[in-house]
Amino acid sequence: MDHAADPSHPRYRSLLMRHRLEIAAKKGMLADSALIAHGRGEAYDYLIGEQTIESADFATKVALRCLKEAKHPVLSLNGNVVALAGDEMLQLADLLDCPVEVNIFYRTPERMTALLSDLDERNKRLGLGVEILGANPDAEIPGLKGPRAKCESKGILQSDVLLVPLEDGDRCQALVAMGKTVIVIDLNPLSRSSQTGTITIVNEVTRCIAEMVDGFDSDLPSRSDYVHEETLQAALDSIINGMKDRFKTVE
Ligand code: ATP
Ligand code: MG
């Protein structure tokens, strides 16, 4: 049995996530830089204690309410998100009765096919009928050049509330400029995506989406109670305060 499959290992969860990425890489679902992005995320996850911090829990609830109240919510999926949290994303889309759209930064026909067929398999295995978009891009996100501007008119283009985990900063900005409510999930509170999103959840994507699914029917706070800068600062504070006296011996 390899490490990733051994729940007795103290870093089981982290190893499991890496293992999911290894499998996805072998299936051609990931860009070469995917593991670098994951490594940056892992480092921040260590710094927040690999747990959902209070400010992220609140942002998650506000984001869920926005998604539930949206006219056209859409969940945007890239390679890492499908590999790590594909099942949870489909479960959330099913509860919201909304489509998911594969929307990748380094778009190649091979990667799109690999991701779409992986999602199809998950949909079937889970017994869900979630609409999976991305195969037929017929629209563009204004302000972006090349393949990363491509999207579907009945998906991302017409969405009013869009969930974009691990999004590129540029594209996040372009989506906000279209007037959408853009919900970012990103472990790095300093990334451009975190800063430019409308609502940012500083948390690990799999943890966050599982919590949205579990708390789907709970009481949710209103959007007007969310303050963006305070949320990002709270994440930074939790990193800084968590480090204080970390290795100081008690006198
Ligand atoms: P930008 O400033 O343009 O937003 P970036 O730092 O986001 O750049 P990317 O290569 O897009 O650069 O990095 C991916 C982002 O996703 C990183 O900020 C990283 O912290 C975050 N990330 C990686 N893995 C996860 C994960 N499992 N859950 C949540 N966030 C993650
Ligand atoms: Mg980013």
Side-chain angles (χ1 to χ4, degrees):
M1 189 186 283
D2 63 22
H3 278 313
D6 178 3
S8 69
H9 193 282
R11 299 211 49 76
Y12 169 67
R13 219 188 127 70
S14 164
L15 292 171
L16 181 66
M17 294 299 144
R18 288 183 178 188
H19 189 59
R20 286 183 185 173
L21 289 170
E22 283 169 21
I23 293 168
K26 283 195 186 115
K27 286 188 183 171
M29 289 160 53
L30 304 183
D32 292 342
S33 59
L35 300 182
I36 299 171
H38 185 72
R40 176 143 58 198
E42 277 189 337
Y44 277 99
D45 206 15
Y46 238 102
L47 295 175
I48 63 167
E50 294 174 309
Q51 60 183 330
T52 301
I53 57 174
E54 209 181 304
S55 54
D57 179 58
F58 186 75
T60 300
K61 290 180 172 140
V62 173
L64 182 57
R65 179 149 173 192
C66 288
L67 284 164
K68 286 175 82 170
E69 290 177 352
K71 256 201 183 128
H72 297 293
V74 172
L75 313 185
S76 167
L77 306 181
N78 67 17
N80 286 38
V81 175
V82 174
L84 296 172
D87 285 4
E88 290 85 351
M89 279 290 176
L90 289 174
Q91 282 159 350
L92 180 61
D94 179 61
L95 289 170
L96 289 164
D97 195 17
C98 78
V100 298
E101 180 165 341
V102 177
N103 175 34
I104 55 180
F105 193 76
Y106 301 106
R107 181 186 274 262
T108 65
E110 293 77 17
R111 274 191 72 210
M112 286 302 293
T113 306
L115 286 166
L116 291 163
S117 71
D118 183 86
L119 282 166
D120 264 340
E121 278 168 29
R122 288 174 189 269
N123 224 359
K124 286 198 189 98
R125 177 170 44 77
L126 295 168
L128 303 175
V130 174
E131 188 179 10
I132 298 167
L133 302 175
N136 304 300
D138 56 351
E140 290 197 346
I141 302 165
L144 293 179
K145 287 195 192 115
R148 67 199 178 100
K150 287 186 179 178
C151 67
E152 291 209 19
S153 51
K154 61 177 177 171
I156 287 177
L157 191 79
Q158 73 150 357
S159 66
D160 53 346
V161 180
L162 185 60
L163 181 68
V164 287
L166 286 61
E167 182 57 285
D168 159 67
D170 249 22
R171 195 157 54 183
C172 184
Q173 209 161 1
L175 292 164
V176 171
M178 290 172 81
K180 300 180 188 306
T181 295
V182 179
I183 301 165
V184 168
I185 304 171
D186 193 324
L187 278 158
N188 177 6
L190 298 168
S191 79
R192 286 178 308 149
S193 315
S194 286
Q195 292 183 54
T196 49
T198 321
I199 295 170
T200 293
I201 303 164
V202 180
N203 203 3
E204 201 282 319
V205 62
T206 314
R207 247 180 358 241
C208 174
I209 302 302
E211 285 166 15
M212 281 192 181
V213 170
D214 287 348
F216 196 79
D217 294 319
S218 60
D219 282 339
L220 299 168
S222 118
R223 177 168 170 180
S224 56
D225 294 330
Y226 173 85
V227 185
H228 189 60
E229 288 70 22
E230 278 178 15
T231 304
L232 295 180
Q233 187 59 50
L236 279 180
D237 288 349
S238 111
I239 291 173
I240 294 161
N241 295 331
M243 296 300 128
K244 271 191 190 148
D245 302 333
R246 184 73 172 77
F247 297 112
K248 207 167 161 184
T249 45
V250 186
E251 281 157 31

